[in-house]
Amino acid sequence: MSPVIGILALQGGVREHERSLDKLGVTHRQVRRPNQLLGLDGIILPGGESTTISRLLELGGVLEPLRAALAKGLPAYGTCAGMILLANQVRDTRADAHQLNALDITVRRNAFGRQIDSFEADLDFVGIDAPVPAVFIRAPWVEQVGEGVEVLAVVQEGPAAGAVVAVRAGNVLASSFHPEVTGDTRLHELFMEIVRAS
Ligand code: GLN
């Protein structure tokens, strides 16, 4: 049977991920309530505002079931705010923001600062041949990675050179940037490989 991917649709860039999965012919559905987690083969956590998504996860009762599903190995891909939510630890967030604790990384929110608030860069990416065009929008970066977390991409040039912006640990993939807005589907393809292998 072909896999079904949930897209967390509480806030943020849901439509863009739907378009990317449509391009790949992957079945998807929006997730707003706990019962919509049932039967999924993977879940995408979109960009948006992580503290808002965190609050809505709690209010809608999705936080604990999603955390539990991830702990059981549900494959996940988080972009930007989604990366923040998946992380074990977040710097520069609200004290009451929740984490899904699915990735042993420490992330800093809005890490690139006001001067380079939003930018684009071509990135070398482990496992992908040609450079990946990356759009960063008030993006986080990864400050620490735990054991078993693979760094897949770093910023190569400019003031933020060296910043870690894509990681994978087991079934969980995360990027600071938004491949879903460039029309490049290779990260979604990578995620689907993870889903199919799991
Ligand atoms: N700055 C946002 C946050 O902290 C993330 C931005 C994004 O997802 N594009 O959640």
Side-chain angles (χ1 to χ4, degrees):
M1 263 195 8
S2 64
V4 179
I5 303 301
I7 302 178
L8 188 66
L10 297 170
Q11 189 261 339
V14 174
R15 185 70 55 92
E16 293 80 357
H17 282 289
E18 290 179 331
R19 248 183 256 129
S20 299
L21 293 181
D22 283 342
K23 271 197 184 178
L24 298 177
V26 171
T27 306
H28 54 81
R29 66 161 187 255
Q30 298 192 355
V31 173
R32 291 199 189 79
R33 293 187 300 276
N35 62 352
Q36 292 168 329
L37 290 167
L38 299 173
L40 295 181
D41 298 295
I43 188 161
I44 289 179
L45 286 74
E49 175 48 53
S50 56
T51 57
T52 302
I53 299 174
S54 161
R55 194 153 39 84
L56 295 172
L57 278 170
E58 186 181 22
L59 288 174
V62 181
L63 181 69
E64 287 308 332
L66 177 54
R67 203 183 260 150
L70 293 166
K72 276 202 226 147
L74 178 69
Y77 175 30
T79 57
C80 203
M83 173 194 253
I84 295 170
L85 288 159
L86 289 170
N88 278 1
Q89 278 210 22
V90 181
R91 295 186 173 142
D92 279 345
T93 192
R94 290 171 53 115
D96 59 358
H98 301 288
Q99 297 313 124
L100 292 165
N101 308 105
L103 256 180
D104 185 10
I105 57 174
T106 301
V107 163
R108 183 175 297 278
R109 279 178 74 219
N110 304 324
F112 293 90
R114 275 182 191 283
Q115 304 303 317
I116 44 171
D117 186 284
S118 297
F119 66 105
E120 297 185 28
D122 283 337
L123 302 177
D124 291 336
F125 201 100
V126 173
I128 296 179
D129 269 351
V132 172
V135 173
F136 294 85
I137 305 164
R138 292 184 303 286
W141 66 37
V142 179
E143 294 196 337
Q144 283 172 27
V145 299
E147 235 174 87
V149 178
E150 188 186 3
V151 172
L152 299 179
V154 299
V155 175
Q156 284 150 255
E157 290 177 348
V164 172
V165 291
V167 294
R168 174 184 175 179
N171 287 341
V172 182
L173 176 68
S175 63
S176 303
F177 54 90
H178 296 271
E180 71 282 10
V181 306
T182 64
D184 186 314
T185 53
R186 289 174 297 169
L187 264 75
H188 291 80
E189 285 170 46
L190 171 62
F191 179 54
M192 292 313 298
E193 281 171 30
I194 294 172
V195 168
R196 292 198 175 94
S198 83

